Each structure stands twice: as structure tokens, then as C-alpha cells.
């Protein structure tokens, strides 16, 4: 790109310079570039090279046969300032005199810059904001990998992490935390509420390098049971519950039967790993767990390590692999193929948002380019209108350099006005983005227009001012006085050269619009395809609610089940509510746990990998209209004392029991069950239910087993409520029932199933909305561009049209002539845009579903759409040209 | 009359050796750091004007360099005189600076 810009600038340079130095400039540039420093320096270097040559060309063009002896020394700096102010005043006057032009240019630029500001703020918040940790560059996230289970960055088993911590020399220390917030019931002044707790190891804060604002953090010893009755509060919780009093440290909090001591308060803004954290508390593990199988078999902790100073992530990873190999040999039962990896913390945190933000940044950059092209066109047309003014100023002795500066000042003033509008629009855009709350896009961070964003906006404005201001300015000040006066004499419309440039720019506009509109249409089609996927359950008229049953008052299994049964019974007795069921994890809201399994009678080496699990009752399937395909449902006779039963989904039956009848078969969730049947719990498959999408409509359902909640229970289940009423009335009913049963149990969460379904498509919806908006703007800008070029051409050819019509040409002939001219330019742009789109749409391939990035129907329809818009945009001015009375048009100047 | 800093730098660079454009830039970088090296465009603008003013002229390509795109430059008598004049001017300025204790070593 740099090289072609340099070539372009050389092409603008006077012939004597170009032939004498052109090849040399390029070869020296190449040599410098090759020997140059890192990538960061290269961009700055390229910018300097282009700017330097642009200035050189401008000086050569305008400075005449200058010498290299300095002149400005004698004129002094005060003069410079004064002339700049004069330029500004003049530019302001000029813009005020042409309100139509100014308004158009400023709003077009405002749109382009505003879109950039909004997307940049999001990028800024996620990718560039400093992490609130000490020396964050030394922090790496650890995770486990397993080719058999298809794990690439899974949470880890604590026993493995403890071994890494002790045996990998490159780690200064390794901490663990739970990603999920544990919502604990808490009674404050007689009112129940839920407090979000994050379980951590005692070295959590020291590994992150964050010091509490008040009090202390934890010690490593406090990881273990007996020392774990301590908590550290979040700043927000400290303010809301303790009035920010330093005396809070040393006080106790009581949760049911447990009392813990507050030992510290974190500084404001620290909310790792989850913004819903009210407090952090140690896990309180039993040291004996280290020898227990489950501590190495269950993978649920997130490990984070601090590297020793000077250690690279690569070296740490090499050392980690040595330990991983050793663990595979030492613990073949759990670790046979269990691998591990590490990623620098920042890369890990942004991995999900990097791609969508990259795509959106690319899209807004294209949009801004389109806006700049548009304004450049406006300026070119106007510059040719002003040829006479410029020629006059030349004739009166104005220096070329001064006039160039004047024109550039005008461009910059326009750009800054556009930047101001853009900042305002960007602010609106940022709020809109924040309101959309796209899952997986906005996370812990808050969106705001900070100093960096403002700086970015100003920078973009100035750069675009130069971009669209320089070419017209150079054109207007080419010292061809006679020609200018002559051309001006002919009637103030654009000259042939200008028209060619304008046509070229319109081609570019159309090409850019093709790119953006293709992206938007692909997303629209993706979204339609996603929405038409049957998720496998009813999405309307079902509300899910969640609450936890505290162990303090409901200690035993039977008490919990009785409470849940009674809740369902009372809810179903309410008007409008037809069925209530429970499940530990809602469909399309992620997965809860997974395992391997073996079926009775399988050879010991045959293992089924990665089946998902959920815990339900019969009501869940009925409330959500999930069909029982074969076999029977959980019944009243299946209980704690009867053999365990399980339902499987259709994918499970198809993948693991091809050509056989799964019903009646028994399965166990480990890989030693076939060899040692007595040592495992066997579940009898009693029925097959329809597939339900588990994570996204774009991903096919995976094999899943549904355990019976009468045999396998939990305290924090979701209740799905099939209701004829609204969400609000259902929630009110739920609160009422819960209050009747136990006024101290708060409702933890409410999620209408329809919302769950929609949120599973939130990322696509988010990208769709933004790309759609950008596509629409692009279409509008391109239409304006085409309209402008045809209108300008029509204006230029008024006399010709008059003559043709006077000689008997019909209006339709003339319109056809004008249309052909407009559409030739459009066709060029369409072809170029299409060619680039074929390559560029690959960038969004990962967000697409059910449609190929090069989908022919999409490409054809976009081309047709743009051609149609272009036809209308050029028909209007062409038609107008023919409606002028021939006599008038002949007289026109 | 004084020379622009870049003109002066180029004259200094060519004072003892013929160099091609890239060689001039490398010498300036080595002397004053890469951030103060001119852009390629600025270099050639200066060379073009210096050539027009008769301060530098093209020099024959030395044996051993068969890269046809490279052109070598040498300082002319006029250029040397200009550089000397500028050096004297700067030296006088530095003397004033030293007298007014603006040079670090003069502070001791």
C-alpha cells in the first residue's frame, strides 16, 4: 500500500523530478524498509515516508524553483500564526457561504467518524484497556486439553494444578478460582438477598498482584479447610453493606450455619473474574483431597499463573509439558491423554471478542473511506466551481503554497466539524452498543468515551481531512492559470480531468458499498437461517426461574425434594399455569457437566466420550413440549431406592447405539465400568427424548443423558413454568408462592425461555445489527455519489443536450445517453467490489450459518440492488436535464 | 543566510566521501539517530534543490557497485564553502551559548 501511495505521489510530481529521482526514491525507500525495525516502527515509518513525499511534491508543485536556503527565518513565526488564523477565518466564511455543501459534507463525515468512534470505544474497552493487575504481562492462563474429549481450553482438575504449581519451575506461583459466581442466600435486616461469591485459593490476590484497599488478602494456608472462615469484600459490597467503614474488617458475616470473618476489602473496580462478585472466599479444601480420585477427575477450576521474572510463556510451556507428561504416566486412569496449555492473560480474555471487533473495525474503516471519497467528490466538484476564484487569487499574486494551505485548512475545518458530529453520534452509538449487551462481546468491562477515544476521533478526523482535502487542493492549485481562466470562462462546471477523477471516485464508492452490503446481507441470511432452526423445545409461553434451597434449614435430601415438589404443585394450582418442571441447566444456555461412559456388555476398551448431562423431572419435558420419541418417561416409581434410570436424546441413540435398541441397556459414567461392573453405578436407559440445542442453534445437538432428579438431586435448580400469562405476572405469582413457603428464600433469577433462545443468537444479532446499519449507510452514500456524478455530467452537457434535443432527439434518447455514462462508472465499481468481496467475506465466515461467504444468490442480489439504486440515482438528474427547455439550455452561459 | 538543518547534514555527510541516497540516510541515522533521519521524499527534495544551487553534483559510481539504480553524489566547491560558512556561524553561536552557560560542560 505504501509503495503504491508513493508511486501515486511521484506521478503527481513534476516531470523533471519524477524522471530524475523517481526510481531512486522508490529503491531507497525499499532499502530503508527492509532494514527497518519491528512492525510497530514500520507503520510510523510508512506514514512518515508518505507524508514526506506528499510535502515534497506539494513544495515542488507550488514552490517553483525554490532553493534550499531558508526563507522563513526572515519572515518570523508570528506571521505564520497570523496567516493560519487568517486561513481559518477565510475557511469558516467559505463554509458558511455554502451551507448546503457544508451540511452534506459534515453529516457524511459525521456518520463515518461516528461509526468509527463507537466501534473503537468498544475495541478500546476490550483490547487496549490496561488490566487492573500488577505486572499483568507476567500472568498466564492455564487450561487443560484432551484430544479424546475435544477439549482445547478446558477448566482444570485441582490436583493437576497443585502438581503444576509445585513442579513447574517457571511459575512463580499458581492460583485457582471458579469462573462462576456462587450465589449464597444472605439475610440482611430480615430481608433475604443473594450474595455473589467467588471461590479462590489463598494466593489468588498475590498472584494477580492486587493489594486490598483495606485489611489483608488471603494466605495460601487459608485455601484449606479449618482456615477458610475468611472473606474479602468487593468495594461495591463494602460501600453498600458497611458504609465504606474501615471497621468492617474484623467483623463477621453469617450465611446459614456458616460464619466468616471479613479480613479485607478490594479496591474499586476490581471485579475479577466476574462483575457479580460481592466477595471472595477460600475453597476450604480438605488436604486429603489431593489423594482422592475426584480431585484429578473432575475439571472445574480456572488456574492462573505468574511467571518468574524474565521467563517467556514459551519456556514456561515447555516446562509445563514435562510435568504434564509425567502426570500422564503417574495417573493413567485420569490423565492418560490429558494435556495442558497456557496463554498470556490478555490474549485469553479477549479471544472471543477479537474477531467480531476486528470485523466491525474493518467495516467502519471501509465506511469512513466511503465517506471520505464522497466528501472528496463534493470538494472536487466545488473546487472546479472555484477555479476562477483560485485563478484570480493567483493572478493577484497569491503564492501557490498559500492557496494550497488555504484549501487544506478548509478540508481540515470540515473534518473537525465532522469529527465533532462524529463524536456526538459515537456517543449515541456507544450507548446503543452497551444497551444491546451482546453476550460474549460486552463482558466485565464498561463502555465509555475516554480520552483515548476522543484522541482517536480527532486523529481520524484530521487524517480523513487530509485524505479528502489534498487531492482536490492539489488539483485546484495546479498552476495552469490560462487553462483555469479559460475553463472557468466556459461556464464554471467541472472540466474533463475533474470529471474523470469524480467518476473514478464514484467507482470506488460503489465498490466499497458492495463490500459492506454483501457483509450485511450475509448476516441477515445467517440470522434468518438461525431463527428457522428448531431448537427442539417450545420458546413461547415458558418462563424459567431459579432459587436456592439453603442447607441451613433444609439439610436433608428429602426436605429439599419435598420443597421442590411442593413448589411445583402450588405453582400448577395457579390460574394460567399448566405445567412446571425442573432442570439444573436450561437448554441453549450452555452445558453443565460431561463425562465418558460405557454400556453393560461392552468390551473394556470401548468408551463413549464427552456425553453431556442434565438433571430433570418429567415436568421439564412436558412444560417445554419436548417429545418422548420412544420408551417411557420418569415415573413415580423411580426413586431413591429403585435402580437409577436415565433418558437419552436422539443424537445419543444414533451415535452410540447405531442399529441397536438403546432402551433397556445400562450405562455407567466411567471407563472402568465394563472391566469392573461392581465398582460403578449403572443407569438403565428407559426412553429417548427429542434433541434440544445446548449452546447455539448453529451447533448441532450433542449426545446427552438426562438423569432423574428424584435419584440425583440439587439445591439450585431452574423451574420452567408453562404459562398463559405474561412474564411479569408469572414472576409475581412465583414470588408469592415462594414467600408463602419460605419468606427467607429470594428468587435468584428469572429468564423467559424466549430470551434464552434469543440470547443464544446474540453475537450474530449484534454483528447483524451493526453491519446492517453500516450497509445501509454505505448504500445511501454510494447513491449520493452516483447522483452527484450524473448531475454534474448533466450540468456540464446542458448545451449539448439542448442541441441534441433541438435537432430532434427524444427525451428518452438523451436520458439513455446519460444513464449509460453513469452506469459505466457504476459497473466498474460493481465488478471491482464483487472481486474484492469474494475474498473479503472470508473474514466473517465464522459468524455465518447456513450460507457460504461467497453465496452466489447474495452476491447477485447485492449487485442487482446497487445497480438498481444507481439507476434511480442517475435517472433523476438525467431526466431533469431533458426537461429543460432547449432554448434555455442553449443560452446557458 | 543560513542553511536548513537537512542541507547542512547532507553536506556534512558528503564532506569526506561520495555516497548514494541510502548511504546518506544511513550516515545521518548513525550520527543523529534513526528518528531524526529525513523521509525519503524530503531527502530527494533537498538533493534536487542542492543540485540546482550547485552545492552537490552527481559522482561516478565506484567500482564494485553495479546496482544501476543507485546514483552517487559528491560535494562541490560551492557546497564546501557553504558548509564551512555555516559551520563557522554555528561555532560562533555555540561560543555564545557556552559563554551564557547553556552548555552542560560549562556548568561545572
Amino acid at each position: 500500500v505504501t509503495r503504491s501511495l508513493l508511486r501515486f505521489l511521484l506521478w503527481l510530481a513534476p516531470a523533471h523530478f519524477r524522471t530524475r529521482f523517481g526510481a531512486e526514491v522508490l529503491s531507497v525507500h525499499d532499502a530503508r524498509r527492509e532494514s527497518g525495525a519491528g512492525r510497530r516502527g514500520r507503520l510510523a515509518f510508512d506514514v512518515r515516508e508518505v507524508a514526506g513525499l506528499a510535502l515534497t511534491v506539494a513544495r515542488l508543485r507550488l514552490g517553483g524553483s525554490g532553493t534550499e536556503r531558508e526563507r522563513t527565518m526572515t519572515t518570523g513565526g508570528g506571521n505564520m500564526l497570523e496567516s493560519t488564523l487568517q486561513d481559518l477565518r477565510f475557511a469558516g466564511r467559505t463554509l458558511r457561504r455554502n451551507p448546503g455543501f457544508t451540511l452534506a459534507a459534515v453529516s457524511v463525515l459525521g456518520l463515518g467518524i461516528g461509526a468509527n468512534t463507537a466501534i473503537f470505544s468498544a475495541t478500546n474497552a476490550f483490547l487496549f484497556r490496561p488490566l487492573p493487575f500488577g505486572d499483568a504481562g507476567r500472568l498466564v492462563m492455564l487450561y487443560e486439553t484432551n484430544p479424546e474429549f475435544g477439549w482445547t481450553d478446558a477448566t482444570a482438575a485441582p490436583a493437576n494444578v497443585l502438581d503444576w504449581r509445585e513442579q513447574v519451575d517457571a511459575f512463580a506461583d499458581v492460583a485457582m478460582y471458579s469462573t462462576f459466581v456462587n450465589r449464597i442466600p444472605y439475610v440482611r435486616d430480615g430481608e433475604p438477598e443473594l450474595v455473589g461469591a467467588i471461590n479462590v485459593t489463598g494466593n489468588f490476590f498475590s498472584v494477580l498482584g492486587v493489594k486490598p484497599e483495606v485489611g489483608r488478602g488471603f494466605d495460601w494456608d487459608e485455601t484449606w479447610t479449618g482456615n477458610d472462615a475468611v472473606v474479602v469484600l468487593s468495594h461495591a459490597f463494602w460501600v453498600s453493606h458497611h458504609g465504606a467503614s474501615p471497621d468492617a474488617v474484623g467483623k463477621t458475616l453469617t450465611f446459614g450455619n456458616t460464619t466468616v470473618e471479613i479480613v479485607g476489602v478490594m479496591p474499586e473496580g476490581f471485579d475479577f473474574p466476574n462483575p457479580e462478585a460481592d466477595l471472595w472466599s477460600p475453597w476450604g479444601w480438605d488436604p486429603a483431597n489431593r489423594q482422592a480420585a475426584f480431585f484429578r477427575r473432575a475439571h472445574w477450576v480456572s488456574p492462573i499463573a505468574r511467571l518468574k521474572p524474565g521467563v517467556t510463556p514459551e519456556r514456561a510451556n515447555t516446562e509445563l509439558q514435562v510435568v504434564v507428561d509425567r502426570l500422564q504416566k503417574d495417573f493413567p486412569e485420569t490423565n492418560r491423554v490429558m494435556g495442558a496449555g497456557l496463554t498470556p492473560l490478555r490474549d485469553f480474555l479477549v479471544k472471543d471478542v477479537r474477531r467480531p471487533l476486528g470485523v466491525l473495525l474493518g467495516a467502519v474503516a471501509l465506511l469512513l473511506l466511503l465517506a471520505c471519497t464522497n466528501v472528496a467528490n463534493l470538494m472536487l466538484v466545488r473546487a472546479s466551481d472555484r477555479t476562477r476564484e483560485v485563478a484570480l487569487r493567483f493572478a493577484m499574486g497569491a503564492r501557490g503554497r498559500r492557496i494550497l494551505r488555504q484549501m487544506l485548512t478548509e478540508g481540515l475545518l470540515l473534518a473537525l466539524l465532522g469529527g465533532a458530529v462524529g463524536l456526538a453520534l459515537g456517543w449515541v452509538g456507544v450507548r446503543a452498543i452497551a444497551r444491546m449487551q451482546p453476550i460474549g462481546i460486552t463482558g466485565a468491562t464498561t463502555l465509555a468515551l475516554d480520552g483515548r477515544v476522543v484522541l482517536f476521533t480527532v486523529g481520524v478526523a484530521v487524517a480523513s481531512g487530509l485524505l479528502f482535502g489534498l487531492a482536490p487542493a492539489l488539483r485546484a492549485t495546479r498552476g495552469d492559470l490560462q487553462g483555469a481562466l479559460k475553463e472557468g470562462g466556459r461556464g464554471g462546471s467541472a472540466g474533463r480531468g475533474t470529471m474523470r477523477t469524480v467518476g473514478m471516485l464514484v467507482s470506488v464508492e460503489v465498490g466499497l458499498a458492495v463490500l459492506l452490503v454483501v457483509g450485511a446481507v450475509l448476516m441477515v441470511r445467517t440470522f434468518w437461517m438461525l431463527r428457522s432452526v428448531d431448537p427442539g423445545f417450545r420458546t413461547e409461553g415458558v418462563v424459567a426461574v431459579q432459587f436456592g434451597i439453603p442447607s441451613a434449614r433444609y439439610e436433608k435430601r428429602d426436605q429439599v425434594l419435598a420443597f421442590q415438589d411442593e413448589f411445583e404443585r402450588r405453582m400448577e394450582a395457579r390460574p394460567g399455569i399448566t405445567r412446571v418442571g425442573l432442570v439444573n441447566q436450561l437448554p441453549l444456555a450452555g452445558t453443565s457437566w460431561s463425562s465418558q461412559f460405557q454400556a453393560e456388555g461392552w468390551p473394556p476398551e470401548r468408551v463413549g466420550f464427552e456425553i453431556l448431562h442434565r438433571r430433570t423431572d418429567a415436568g421439564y419435558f412436558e412444560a417445554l413440549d419436548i417429545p418422548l420419541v420412544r420408551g417411557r418417561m420418569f415415573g413415580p416409581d423411580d426413586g431413591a431406592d429403585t435402580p437409577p434410570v436415565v433418558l437419552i436424546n436422539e443424537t445419543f441413540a444414533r451415535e452410540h447405539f447405531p442399529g441397536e435398541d438403546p432402551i433397556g441397556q445400562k450405562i455407567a459414567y466411567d471407563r472402568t465400568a465394563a472391566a469392573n461392573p461392581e465398582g460403578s453405578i449403572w443407569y438403565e436407559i428407559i426412553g429417548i427424548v427429542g434433541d434440544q440445542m445446548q449452546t447455539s442453534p448453529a451447533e448441532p445437538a450433542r449426545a446427552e443423558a438426562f438423569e432423574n432428579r428424584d435419584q440425583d438431586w440439587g439445591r439450585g435448580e431452574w423451574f420452567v413454568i408453562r404459562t398463559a400469562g405474561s412474564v411479569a405476572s408469572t414472576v409475581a405469582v412465583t414470588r408469592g408462592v415462594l414467600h408463602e413457603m419460605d419468606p427467607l428464600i429470594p428468587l435468584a433469577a428469572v429468564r423467559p425461555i424466549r430470551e434464552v433462545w434469543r440470547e443464544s443468537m446474540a453475537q450474530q444479532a449484534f454483528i447483524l445489527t451493526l453491519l446492517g446499519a453500516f450497509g445501509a449507510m454505505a448504500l445511501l452514500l454510494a447513491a449520493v455519489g452516483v447522483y452527484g456524478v450524473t448531475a454534474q455530467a448533466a450540468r456540464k452537457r446542458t448545451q449539448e443536450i439542448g442541441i441534441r434535443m433541438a435537432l430532434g432527439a427524444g427525451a428518452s434518447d438523451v436520458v439513455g445517453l446519460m444513464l449509460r455514462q453513469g452506469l459505466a462508472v457504476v459497473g466498474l465499481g460493481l465488478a471491482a467490489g464483487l472481486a474484492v468481496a469474494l475474498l473479503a467475506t472470508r473474514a466473517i465466515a465464522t459468524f455465518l450459518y447456513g450460507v457460504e461467504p461467497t453465496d452466489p444468490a447474495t452476491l447477485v442480489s447485492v449487485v442487482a440492488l446497487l445497480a438498481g439504486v444507481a439507476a434511480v440515482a442517475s435517472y433523476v438528474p438525467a431526466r431533469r436535464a431533458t426537461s429543460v427547455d432547449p432554448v434555455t439550455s442553449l443560452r446557458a452561459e | 543566510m543560513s542553511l536548513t538543518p537537512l542541507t547542512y547534514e547532507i553536506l556534512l555527510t558528503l564532506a569526506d566521501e561520495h555516497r548514494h541516497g541510502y548511504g546518506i540516510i544511513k550516515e545521518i541515522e548513525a550520527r543523529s539517530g534513526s528518528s531524526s533521519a529525513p523521509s525519503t521524499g524530503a531527502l530527494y527534495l533537498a538533493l534536487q534543490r542542492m543540485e540546482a544551487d550547485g552545492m552537490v553534483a552527481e559522482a561516478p559510481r565506484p567500482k564494485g557497485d553495479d546496482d544501476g539504480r543507485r546514483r552517487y553524489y559528491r560535494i562541490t566547491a560551492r557546497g564546501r564553502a557553504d558548509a564551512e560558512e555555516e559551520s563557522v556561524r554555528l561555532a560562533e553561536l555555540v561560543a555564545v551559548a557556552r559563554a551564557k552557560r547553556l552548555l552542560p560542560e560549562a556548568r561545572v
Side-chain angles (χ1 to χ4, degrees):
Chain A
V1 180
T2 311
R3 212 162 188 284
S4 43
L5 276 173
L6 292 180
R7 271 174 187 286
F8 171 72
L9 286 168
L10 282 171
W11 178 75
L12 287 174
H16 68 88
F17 184 85
R18 187 168 60 239
T19 48
R20 177 92 166 80
F21 296 111
E24 242 184 300
V25 167
L26 288 177
S27 87
V28 168
H29 167 77
D30 290 345
R32 296 180 72 178
R33 198 158 196 281
E34 267 163 39
S35 73
R39 275 180 65 196
R40 194 177 288 261
R42 181 163 291 185
L43 180 67
F45 171 70
D46 285 351
V47 170
R48 269 191 51 187
E49 286 284 274
V50 171
L53 190 59
L55 266 168
T56 296
V57 172
R59 285 201 186 148
L60 285 166
R61 277 271 169 217
L62 307 167
S65 56
T67 75
E68 200 50 16
R69 289 176 191 279
E70 234 166 344
R71 298 185 205 84
T72 43
M73 288 288 267
T74 53
T75 48
N79 209 340
M80 182 84 177
L81 180 69
E82 195 166 302
S83 63
T84 305
L85 283 176
Q86 207 179 337
D87 282 350
L88 265 177
R89 271 197 302 273
F90 186 79
R93 246 193 343 261
T94 316
L95 294 182
R96 263 205 309 279
R97 260 209 312 270
N98 300 278
F101 164 80
T102 308
L103 192 69
V106 167
S107 39
V108 163
L109 282 173
L111 273 183
I113 295 175
N116 275 273
T117 301
I119 298 300
F120 179 78
S121 330
T123 314
N124 178 40
F126 294 115
L127 303 188
F128 305 130
R129 210 176 72 148
L131 295 171
F133 308 129
D135 204 358
R138 277 167 54 205
L139 292 175
V140 294
M141 280 299 299
L142 302 170
Y143 42 79
E144 291 192 308
T145 61
N146 187 317
E148 283 182 354
F149 301 165
W151 291 355
T152 53
D153 54 357
T155 45
N160 291 341
V161 181
L162 290 169
D163 288 337
W164 302 341
R165 178 173 183 268
E166 285 156 15
Q167 299 173 29
V168 177
D169 189 51
F171 295 154
D173 199 357
V174 183
M176 294 175 247
Y177 60 88
S178 66
T179 317
F180 293 102
V181 182
N182 193 4
R183 291 158 69 91
I184 320 170
Y186 177 66
V187 181
R188 181 192 186 191
D189 305 333
E191 286 296 313
E193 63 177 23
L194 290 163
V195 171
I198 301 280
N199 282 125
V200 297
T201 51
N203 57 350
F204 179 71
F205 299 113
S206 66
V207 166
L208 291 180
V210 186
K211 291 207 164 45
E213 184 175 316
V214 185
R216 62 173 181 91
F218 301 131
D219 294 329
W220 173 249
D221 290 343
E222 286 167 336
T223 308
W224 308 97
T225 185
N227 309 323
D228 59 319
V230 284
V231 292
V232 168
L233 304 184
S234 76
H235 197 272
F237 190 83
W238 180 53
V239 171
S240 64
H241 285 63
H242 295 276
S245 156
D247 300 339
V249 171
K251 291 214 168 108
T252 59
L253 295 174
T254 302
F255 300 98
N257 301 338
T258 318
T259 298
V260 294
E261 183 192 340
I262 301 170
V263 297
V265 177
M266 292 311 289
E268 199 168 359
F270 180 87
D271 58 7
F272 190 77
N274 194 311
E276 287 171 36
D278 293 315
L279 53 87
W280 291 264
S281 77
W283 257 299
W285 286 328
D286 184 343
N289 284 351
R290 286 202 69 171
Q291 273 67 49
F294 84 93
F295 224 48
R296 216 177 276 284
R297 177 170 292 138
H299 303 258
W300 87 91
V301 303
S302 299
I304 184 167
R306 177 169 288 278
L307 302 178
K308 284 188 178 156
V311 173
T312 61
E314 292 73 28
R315 205 187 102 201
N317 191 36
T318 313
E319 289 185 23
L320 175 64
Q321 296 313 321
V322 173
V323 178
V324 164
D325 287 347
R326 191 153 60 219
L327 294 178
Q328 289 184 348
K329 289 191 193 75
D330 291 352
F331 303 97
E333 199 187 308
T334 49
N335 287 43
R336 194 173 49 84
V337 290
M338 195 62 67
L342 56 84
T343 308
L345 179 64
R346 176 180 289 277
D347 295 348
F348 189 86
L349 292 179
V350 303
K351 69 182 166 22
D352 294 333
V353 297
R354 180 166 277 172
R355 212 169 219 305
L357 284 176
V359 164
L360 292 174
L361 270 182
V364 290
L366 290 180
L367 192 68
L368 184 62
L369 201 57
L370 185 50
C372 285
T373 321
N374 224 301
V375 175
N377 248 346
L378 285 174
M379 298 216 13
L380 265 177
V381 169
R382 227 171 54 92
S384 56
D385 285 349
R386 288 170 70 185
T387 336
R388 253 196 299 198
E389 172 205 323
V390 172
L392 208 62
R393 294 179 65 196
F394 264 120
M396 292 180 67
R399 292 262 307 285
R401 189 190 304 213
R402 193 59 212 290
I403 293 180
L404 177 81
R405 241 181 55 196
Q406 172 56 48
M407 306 279 290
L408 272 181
T409 308
E410 235 177 272
L412 282 178
L413 190 61
L414 264 185
L416 288 176
L417 288 174
V421 173
L423 208 56
L425 286 178
W427 187 75
V428 175
V430 163
R431 312 220 88 190
I433 289 176
R435 236 194 338 269
M436 278 193 255
Q437 279 296 331
I439 303 291
I441 295 199
T442 59
T445 31
T446 47
L447 288 169
L449 289 183
D450 58 9
R452 198 199 297 256
V453 173
V454 173
L455 207 66
F456 169 85
T457 305
V458 172
V460 164
V462 168
S464 44
L466 289 175
L467 193 66
F468 67 72
L470 195 62
L474 280 178
R475 268 213 92 87
T477 50
R478 278 226 177 128
D480 183 9
L481 256 184
Q482 271 196 324
L485 283 170
K486 258 200 238 154
E487 216 177 64
R490 260 209 318 264
S493 62
R496 194 164 264 288
T498 303
M499 281 315 292
R500 223 182 6 249
T501 318
V502 169
M504 222 166 66
L505 289 177
V506 169
S507 294
V508 171
E509 284 175 35
V510 171
L512 289 170
V514 168
L515 278 179
L516 285 167
V517 177
V518 163
V521 172
L522 285 174
M523 285 315 295
V524 169
R525 295 201 43 180
T526 292
F527 201 63
W528 272 344
M529 297 297 287
L530 281 179
R531 286 193 66 119
S532 63
V533 170
D534 175 11
F537 55 89
R538 148 186 285 274
T539 55
E540 299 296 328
V542 188
V543 179
V545 300
Q546 187 191 31
F547 54 83
I549 300 172
S551 53
R553 273 163 289 142
Y554 305 88
E555 194 190 344
K556 302 237 159 61
R557 165 190 184 278
D558 288 348
Q559 289 172 297
V560 174
L561 296 195
F563 190 95
Q564 290 169 339
D565 285 340
E566 178 65 11
F567 175 76
E568 289 191 1
R569 200 187 57 73
R570 290 197 193 189
M571 287 296 289
E572 283 174 357
R574 297 301 173 110
I577 293 174
T578 46
R579 195 71 173 105
V580 180
L582 68 78
V583 66
N584 67 327
Q585 176 90 35
L586 294 174
L588 273 183
T591 55
S592 58
W593 67 288
S594 62
S595 76
Q596 40 201 344
F597 83 96
Q598 289 186 315
E600 202 173 44
W602 278 11
E605 65 277 7
R606 182 170 170 195
V607 180
F609 293 120
E610 275 299 275
I611 56 165
L612 302 177
H613 295 271
R614 269 189 286 164
R615 185 167 61 225
T616 61
D617 63 4
Y620 164 78
F621 298 101
E622 285 155 25
L624 281 171
D625 271 351
I626 298 162
L628 176 69
V629 182
R630 294 197 40 219
R632 69 170 180 90
M633 188 41 71
F634 299 134
D637 295 337
D638 301 315
D641 308 324
T642 58
V645 293
V646 67
L647 295 164
I648 60 173
N649 68 355
E650 291 176 281
T651 300
F652 195 133
R654 198 175 53 246
E655 282 182 357
H656 294 292
F657 298 102
E660 343 168 30
D661 187 359
I663 292 178
Q665 304 229 33
K666 289 186 175 151
I667 56 175
Y669 304 143
D670 57 73
R671 58 185 311 138
T672 54
N676 176 24
E678 272 72 53
S680 298
I681 302 169
W682 292 94
Y683 291 78
E684 183 187 341
I685 299 173
I686 56 166
I688 302 173
V689 293
D691 283 344
Q692 303 132 61
M693 298 292 173
Q694 290 126 348
T695 47
S696 151
E699 282 169 41
R702 289 157 60 189
E704 188 165 28
F706 298 89
E707 282 84 35
N708 181 2
R709 95 47 143 130
D710 283 330
Q711 298 172 329
D712 188 5
W713 57 286
R715 295 177 176 277
E717 313 292 57
W718 285 93
F719 291 83
V720 286
I721 304 162
R722 172 84 160 270
T723 173
S726 67
V727 173
S729 68
T730 310
V731 171
V733 168
T734 308
R735 278 191 207 286
V737 169
L738 208 51
H739 193 80
E740 268 166 39
M741 292 177 62
D742 186 334
L744 291 184
I745 294 182
L747 199 56
V750 175
R751 296 194 70 190
I753 292 296
R754 188 184 164 70
E755 236 168 61
V756 175
W757 177 60
R758 277 163 52 166
E759 277 178 15
S760 71
M761 298 177 272
Q763 195 186 45
Q764 281 90 352
F766 178 68
I767 298 173
L768 163 71
T769 313
L770 292 180
L771 279 188
F774 301 154
M777 287 185 219
L779 205 58
L780 183 73
L781 291 182
V784 170
V786 173
Y787 176 90
V789 72
T790 326
Q792 193 60 29
R795 208 172 123 202
K796 180 170 173 292
R797 295 169 71 173
T798 314
Q799 288 189 356
E800 181 199 328
I801 291 170
I803 294 171
R804 280 174 189 269
M805 292 190 62
L807 291 176
S812 58
D813 300 328
V814 176
V815 170
L817 184 78
M818 305 292 304
L819 273 185
R820 265 199 301 285
Q821 189 170 23
L823 291 184
V825 166
V826 171
L828 201 66
L830 285 178
L834 209 54
V836 179
L838 281 174
L839 299 172
T841 49
R842 247 179 258 165
I844 58 168
T846 48
F847 310 120
L848 299 181
Y849 173 76
V851 54
E852 289 295 308
T854 54
D855 177 51
T858 301
L859 295 177
V860 168
S861 57
V862 168
V863 167
L865 175 70
L866 271 161
V869 168
V872 173
S874 49
Y875 177 79
V876 173
R879 183 77 223 173
R880 190 179 304 148
T882 60
S883 63
V884 178
D885 174 27
V887 181
T888 321
S889 66
L890 278 172
R891 257 197 222 128
E893 299 204 36
Chain B
M1 276 300 198
S2 61
L3 301 175
T4 66
L6 179 56
T7 307
Y8 187 59
E9 286 256 30
I10 294 174
L11 289 175
L12 285 183
T13 307
L14 294 176
D16 53 355
E17 203 178 321
H18 301 178
R19 289 177 202 273
H20 51 71
Y22 184 45
I24 296 174
I25 284 180
K26 278 201 297 193
E27 165 90 9
I28 295 179
E29 276 179 357
R31 189 168 53 222
S32 325
S34 61
S35 58
S36 46
S39 74
T40 309
L43 173 75
Y44 279 97
L45 178 69
L47 280 175
Q48 189 253 342
R49 291 186 169 171
M50 289 166 77
E51 205 171 42
D53 287 353
M55 296 184 199
V56 298
E58 194 170 337
R61 190 172 22 246
K63 288 191 183 70
D65 184 349
D66 50 5
D67 187 342
R69 286 172 309 174
R70 284 185 181 170
R71 218 189 299 249
Y72 280 75
Y73 299 89
R74 64 178 174 81
I75 192 167
T76 61
R78 165 86 193 275
R80 193 170 289 279
D82 281 343
E84 275 168 17
E85 189 188 321
E86 179 75 359
S87 303
V88 169
R89 193 182 69 84
L90 290 176
E92 282 165 358
L93 283 179
V94 170
V96 175
R98 180 170 290 128
K100 300 204 172 194
R101 299 180 155 265
L102 287 170
L103 267 194
E105 67 228 12
R107 274 195 211 132
V108 182

